[in-house]
Amino acid sequence: MSDELKTPLLDELEKGPWPSFITDLKSMADRPMVRDLLGQLEKSYRDKQGYWKHGGLVGIMGYGGGVIGRYSAIPDQFPGVSHFHTVRVNQPSGWFYTSEALNEIMDIWDEHGSGLTNMHGSTGDMVLLGTTTKELEPIFRALTAKDWDLGGSGSDLRTPSCCIGPARCENACYDTLALTYNITHKYQDELHRPMFNYKYKIKMSGCPNDCTAAMARSDMAIIGIWKDDIQIDQSAIAEYVDAGFNIQEYVIEKCPTKCITLEGKELKIDDSDCVKCVHCINVLPKALSPGKERGAAIALGGKAPIVDGALFATLIVPFIEIDEENGFEEVHDLLERIWEFWDEHGMNRERIGEFIERVTLKTFLEGIGVEPMPQQITQPRDNPYIFYEEYFEEETE
Amino acid sequence: MAGEVPIEQLADDMFQVVSDSAGQKKLKAKDLTKAVIAKYGDKISKDDTKAAIRLLIDSGRCVYGYFGGSSIELPHTEGSANE
Ligand code: HEM
Ligand code: HEM
Ligand code: SF4
Ligand code: SF4
């Protein structure tokens, strides 16, 4: 057999305008694991069939998550990827690293794994791709010796993740990094010892721009929001106008609820109609900023299609205090009530969004002790079947 | 009252449940919790059951598995595992 690796199908992926993971893999093809990964991938493309087997039990002693086991189904042809397990490493909040920290990780991974990484996986973790079963415990020891830990996988709390929040964004409505750090540490058992019906992802975004895409990708989206009026610096508005910026076209006409008007050089917002989409703030950053009364909205049930179809999150709590002084108690309290009710009544492999759909929003709200509120209605006549106890009482009188 | 049954006893009971269903049905943490709650009722708390699972796993008597959902199983060599 020729030593030269031929990958005509994979080569096609290098032809477009974008950087290609194939190019990256080839640059490391001197490693047997990477070389056989390319080989097996090429064969998969040619045969239109995957050649990976599920790893089942593979993991770290004591941990139920963090390692995703995979074996090649054709190890005779590609011995380098006979074992190709993935290790999820809990990322620092907001993905801030020093180069020293990255070097630390890479040294460990070069020694014990393929050297391939995916920074970052959709859970938020650093994803170290490709190692063997016998290397798992040594990797874990090396990582923990440097204060790193594994992330979640399986039916557990997945590694909480957040946007860079106040570290870079002046309009972040709460400290996403602090809350993520807090939740990660408080719920270590839930993270490492799968005890849920299915996975539970929490993502934190500091404002409705939702840079973590929490609404679509997490079971629990914690989105920064404000309660009072958008702050307006009228002199800065005047500067935009004087500079010839077309506020009418780019801001006023694009406000989804048409609650902005411009009189001369003065901008007015009818905040009672504002749905806090943050469009105007994004476009006029020098003049507008969120109100002063800041916290978060909590939406539940976003997920990609696995067992059932994709779901977008449903707003459950329009405003919650995110109070670091208070140890984030309100968030913990709500989270624990949600887990308790889902644990009691949820079915195996039923995500929280599917659970809410099955038991109905009304039952769910009752179960977690949250009052029905108009903000929970997606649109008129979409999910209106909430009956207020007061109405029943009046009727039966 | 919670805490009346020693955690070791709960872990032993759970181990028995896992052993009995080995090879037949994959059990989840919740199934083990339910089994001991059925036996001891309110003599034990949820925290007791969590502590028992921790003991069960950390002692190496059981391990976590994953296939679609997470399970708690006896240690064994997986059919899919390559040498
Ligand atoms: C040209 C004839 C009709 C048209 C175009 C029409 C149209 C509509 C529309 C658009 C709705 C709202 C559906 C929604 O919730 O999104 C509605 C609701 C309803 N219609 Fe009609 N309708 C017509 C005739 C009738 C007749 C003849 C009856 C009864 C004899 C009727 C009974 C109802 C009822 C009970 C509802 C539900 C009301 C509610 O709970 O809000 N409709 N109709
Ligand atoms: C072919 C026959 C019928 C058609 C096409 C029909 C159509 C509809 C439609 C379109 C709605 C609105 C659903 C919505 O809110 O989205 C509705 C609601 C309703 N219909 Fe009918 N309907 C029929 C027969 C009946 C009959 C025979 C009754 C009662 C005897 C009835 C009672 C109601 C009531 C009470 C609602 C309101 C339910 C609610 O909003 O909670 N309908 N119907
Ligand atoms: S979600 Fe908001 S606060 Fe977070 S990074 Fe994006 S714009 Fe900034
Ligand atoms: S935040 Fe959105 S809805 Fe509110 S005023 Fe600005 S553009 Fe309009």
Side-chain angles (χ1 to χ4, degrees):
Chain A
M1 208 174 88
S2 150
D3 262 0
E4 205 187 329
L5 180 70
K6 290 213 174 62
T7 56
L9 292 173
L10 298 184
D11 296 349
E12 289 296 314
L13 294 175
E14 293 186 283
K15 290 183 182 165
W18 310 108
S20 169
F21 72 105
I22 298 300
T23 312
D24 288 348
L25 288 176
K26 282 183 182 170
S27 73
M28 289 169 65
D30 53 327
R31 303 180 187 209
M33 214 171 203
V34 180
R35 190 184 165 80
D36 278 351
L37 178 65
L38 283 163
Q40 177 166 319
L41 199 57
E42 175 72 19
K43 181 172 166 59
S44 293
Y45 281 24
R46 195 168 57 238
D47 302 350
K48 299 193 167 76
Q49 175 185 341
Y51 288 106
W52 297 112
K53 288 189 294 180
H54 209 286
L57 289 184
V58 169
I60 298 297
M61 162 96 177
Y63 274 31
V67 177
I68 296 114
R70 289 292 183 273
Y71 297 104
S72 170
I74 40 175
D76 301 344
Q77 295 173 54
F78 301 104
V81 291
S82 172
H83 294 215
F84 198 79
H85 310 319
T86 289
V87 180
R88 284 196 179 138
V89 179
N90 197 328
Q91 80 287 3
S93 296
W95 298 321
F96 286 98
Y97 300 93
T98 57
S99 35
E100 191 191 342
L102 287 172
N103 280 325
E104 218 167 81
I105 295 280
M106 286 322 302
D107 287 346
I108 294 171
W109 196 233
D110 275 336
E111 188 184 341
H112 298 283
S114 71
L116 298 172
T117 68
N118 168 14
M119 304 282 266
H120 296 79
S122 51
T123 45
D125 303 89
M126 284 181 260
V127 176
L128 310 185
L129 296 158
T131 190
T132 59
T133 304
K134 77 170 173 34
E135 291 294 344
L136 290 171
E137 293 293 343
I139 288 167
F140 183 63
R141 275 196 302 276
L143 286 170
T144 48
K146 302 260 183 196
D147 288 336
W148 296 98
D149 195 4
L150 299 192
S153 68
S155 309
D156 64 7
L157 169 63
R158 297 305 182 81
T159 317
S161 108
C162 64
C163 74
I164 51 176
R168 296 287 297 273
C169 272
E170 57 198 315
N171 292 335
C173 294
Y174 73 94
D175 190 341
T176 50
L177 307 144
L179 182 62
T180 302
Y181 186 79
N182 171 276
I183 288 182
T184 305
H185 282 263
K186 180 161 171 74
Y187 298 108
Q188 280 286 299
D189 238 28
E190 284 76 3
L191 213 165
H192 297 308
R193 299 169 186 275
M195 57 178 75
F196 297 150
N197 299 307
Y198 206 15
K199 59 186 92 167
Y200 194 90
K201 300 181 182 173
I202 307 180
K203 290 196 193 297
M204 283 146 269
S205 289
C207 80
N209 280 324
D210 191 10
C211 291
T212 61
M215 293 296 284
R217 301 194 309 164
S218 69
D219 298 276
M220 186 177 202
I222 308 184
I223 313 280
I225 200 102
W226 66 97
K227 241 182 174 176
D228 52 344
D229 296 349
I230 290 176
Q231 303 183 64
I232 308 175
D233 175 350
Q234 296 294 357
S235 61
I237 293 284
E239 279 172 33
Y240 277 110
V241 174
D242 291 342
F245 185 80
N246 192 342
I247 294 186
Q248 181 65 33
E249 183 181 349
Y250 295 124
V251 183
I252 297 182
E253 283 166 23
K254 295 220 159 60
C255 167
T257 54
K258 303 280 175 286
C259 64
I260 309 176
T261 48
L262 186 66
E263 288 163 22
K265 294 179 183 177
E266 194 183 342
L267 190 91
K268 289 207 170 111
I269 299 177
D270 177 359
D271 285 272
S272 66
D273 264 349
C274 165
V275 291
K276 301 178 166 60
C277 73
V278 292
H279 171 73
C280 58
I281 299 174
N282 289 339
V283 180
L284 300 170
K286 290 179 187 157
L288 303 180
S289 51
K292 290 181 177 143
E293 219 179 316
R294 298 177 180 191
I298 293 185
L300 297 180
K303 65 181 268 296
I306 294 184
V307 182
D308 261 358
L311 287 176
F312 209 64
T314 301
L315 184 75
I316 299 293
V317 179
F319 190 86
I320 191 166
E321 301 272 343
I322 306 285
D323 188 357
E324 197 171 355
E325 306 270 284
N326 196 13
F328 305 110
E329 224 170 65
E330 286 187 50
V331 179
H332 300 157
D333 187 52
L334 178 73
L335 182 54
E336 284 164 30
R337 277 181 290 154
I338 292 168
W339 280 345
E340 176 99 33
F341 190 63
W342 179 46
D343 185 46
E344 195 70 30
H345 303 283
M347 300 195 302
N348 190 29
R349 299 195 76 196
E350 185 175 47
R351 297 281 287 271
I352 196 84
E354 292 154 353
F355 174 63
I356 296 172
E357 282 203 330
R358 179 169 62 82
V359 302
T360 73
L361 181 60
K362 170 188 185 291
T363 309
F364 181 72
L365 291 175
E366 255 167 23
I368 63 168
V370 170
E371 287 290 310
M373 282 167 260
Q375 290 93 330
Q376 293 153 345
I377 309 297
T378 314
Q379 52 189 299
R381 304 212 52 78
D382 183 80
N383 49 358
Y385 299 106
I386 291 174
F387 298 95
Y388 290 79
E389 299 294 332
E390 303 91 272
Y391 290 6
F392 289 121
E393 278 158 25
E394 274 170 32
E395 274 170 22
T396 50
E397 263 166 24
Chain B
M1 266 279 287
E4 272 182 51
V5 184
I7 302 300
E8 291 74 20
Q9 179 64 49
L10 295 182
D12 288 347
D13 287 336
M14 287 176 171
F15 181 70
Q16 197 55 49
V17 174
V18 175
S19 307
D20 289 348
S21 78
Q24 298 165 39
K25 187 175 184 288
K26 283 193 193 296
L27 300 178
K28 293 165 293 151
K30 193 161 135 182
D31 298 321
L32 304 187
T33 303
K34 278 187 177 159
V36 292
I37 287 181
K39 182 166 177 187
Y40 298 107
D42 55 13
K43 285 192 183 131
I44 57 173
S45 69
K46 273 232 164 119
D47 284 341
D48 293 341
T49 64
K50 274 193 195 175
I53 289 174
R54 206 176 302 147
L55 190 64
L56 188 66
I57 298 286
D58 291 354
S59 67
R61 284 194 287 171
C62 287
V63 294
Y64 286 107
Y66 183 77
F67 203 93
S70 296
S71 52
I72 292 180
E73 306 174 24
L74 298 181
H76 61 273
T77 306
E78 201 86 24
S80 69
N82 292 342
E83 278 307 298

